[in-house]
Amino acid sequence: MSPSVIYHEVRDAKVRMMRAGAGEPLVFLHGAGGLSPWGPFLEDLSKNFDVIAPEHPGFGDSGDGAFIRNVADMAMYYLDFLDSLHAGAVHLVGTSLGGWIAAEIAVRNCSRIASVSLLAPAGLRIKGVPIGDNFIWGPEEGTRNLFFNQAYADKLLAVEPTEEEADRQLTNRFMATRLGWEPRWFSPSLQKWLHRIQVPSLVLWGEEDRLFPVEYAKVWGESIPAAQVQIVPNAGHLMQIECAQDVAKRLLSFLAGR
Amino acid sequence: MQFTCFHLMPYRPLDMEERAKHRSAWVVLPNTLYDPERGAEQYESYLNQLTSAESLGFDVIGVNEHHQTAYGMMPAPNLIASALIQRTKNIRIAILGRALPLTNNPIFIAEELAMLDTLSRGRIIAGFVRGIGTEYHATGINPAHSHERFQEAHDLIVAAWTRPGPFEFEGEHYNFRYVNLWPRPYQRPRPPIWIPSQGSSETVRWAAAPERKYPFLVTFSAFDLVKRYLTTYADQARQYGYEPSGGQLGWAVPIYVADTDEQAKKEAGSAIESLFNNFLPNPWEMLLPPGYMSLSSMKATMKARRSLGSRPRTQTADDLISSGTALIGSPKTVVEKIKRMQDETGFDNLVSMLQFGTLSDELTNRNMQMFASEVMPHLR
């Protein structure tokens, strides 16, 4: 099923949003690379849920994100966004940067959140466990380092992006820089508030993640009271792409069992 | 014409085979390749060279700031400037420049430059830059804020120099309850400000504005590009309703002179190639972190880059000479090229880099002497 694409307006910001499926609402928050085309992962989720995938302000075709200076701003924006859906409590799913945003939303206010699922989220820093430097990686190593199964990287690298796509990638990279350059991909004040996430939570981590090492999974699990942690084997950072079925299955089973 | 003797202070003993194993001579090049004893020798040679610029008749000595790189050993150019103040009497000393966005307290920059200006009794020229892109990797400062921080730090420093203190500064990135410099600068109202740049149109518009009229130095670019940027600046000034002085138009360029064109190329060829092929190159992720340029400029740059191919090009001495990126030749050849730029742009502010890359002390000293005796007099 191909999703409908709409432009959803919250206050002054208009964001592009893909939506498909029926059931309880599930909001998917994308990572620093931007909102990927609708793929098997969201497709699987949409069989049981009303999947809503907004493109963050400042990314891709969503409007100017000048008013978003940091991830805390982004979290406040999404609290407005959740209000504007008039959909009751949503299942929040975020990957990488999107996972960080999801956590920042949830520590502020869980009243519109039914559950939180974090896929290799940014947002924390463990001293002595360095993360990869995605801002210094060249285009090829940057792509390769996001996957365990290099066939996915090969496939992506074989395609020369169109001019339009290259512009989108650059737009996304600019916004990601604003949000994640310094301090690098974390907020010093997030971890001490994670106890406020009082809804069922799932932390998924690719065992072979070369951007955010799998050691981070444990700390997230210890910091969110009701979190279960699952390590996904043979998966890198973009596990929802290279292990789409496995990750969707784990997520659906968590959501069914909560 | 005004002559500046400018230096980058490269780490010449660099093992180029080891260098080639890393993506850049900046930020990621292990400093185990640096030897403190050799480093001390470099400083000594370079300070001697810059000091000799005074007796050779230069108007200005120029130093500059870069971080975590073999390209230049001056993360703190004010320290070098301070040493030069003690070794010279009348020559002006330009710090080209301090990278404003990299500091969290621009008042420190205002204070240090005011100290230097006082120690030298008014011989300081302040250059303000944003640093090159790698600096944002080296310092962690978010390149997305580079332009904003530059503007704000500039406003703060100029106010600190010229407004009676104490006053309060309220910015987006910088906020201070008390701004009140002791000492104030020696020069009144403040030291001159120069803007070295790669020529972005935003910078040109800003520097040329009538309330600033900051001299604009185009650095390390091909002759035609330098000409275009200087013309843009002059046109901009005319749009503002005034005629720019030649001193507002600056060209920073590596120069080497010897008896003949052939000899000059033979002596300086490998050194100029080391500057452009070993010390300077950076992958674009390091050189242009997102936000360092505006998104629209960056989109245009990347588009041009895609059409050229992404692989960095090795430049030969011949390439660099024929494009006019470096002036290497007999005094006659070099004078002609400078005069041509002068005829075509009206520029009058020459920032000459007479040591570059691996160029030895002996050749550097000969170059400086010959430049002073056989080039400068024809352009005065």
Side-chain angles (χ1 to χ4, degrees), chain A residues 66-86:
Chain A
F67 69 108
I68 306 279
R69 303 274 303 178
N70 47 48
V71 172
D73 281 345
M74 192 69 95
M76 295 307 292
Y77 163 79
Y78 270 113
L79 287 170
D80 277 355
F81 176 91
L82 293 181
D83 287 346
S84 76
L85 286 179
H86 303 295

Side-chain angles (χ1 to χ4, degrees), chain B residues 11-66:
Chain B
Y11 182 70
R12 286 178 295 189
L14 184 61
D15 179 337
M16 295 304 177
E17 267 179 43
E18 285 299 315
R19 152 69 185 92
K21 293 177 187 165
H22 301 274
R23 67 181 87 211
S24 168
W26 301 67
V27 189
V28 293
L29 186 69
N31 68 359
T32 45
L33 296 173
Y34 171 86
D35 176 75
E37 197 57 47
R38 307 298 300 276
E41 290 163 14
Q42 304 303 303
Y43 275 140
E44 190 180 329
S45 292
Y46 295 157
L47 281 169
N48 287 338
Q49 286 159 19
L50 288 173
T51 304
S52 74
E54 180 159 45
S55 58
L56 289 172
F58 286 84
D59 304 292
V60 181
I61 299 172
V63 295
N64 101 326
E65 169 178 343
H66 288 296

Side-chain angles (χ1 to χ4, degrees), chain B residues 239-259:
Chain B
Q239 272 180 39
Y240 282 127
Y242 74 93
E243 190 61 28
S245 70
Q248 271 174 272
L249 304 171
W251 180 18
V253 57
I255 298 178
Y256 189 86
V257 282
D259 288 337

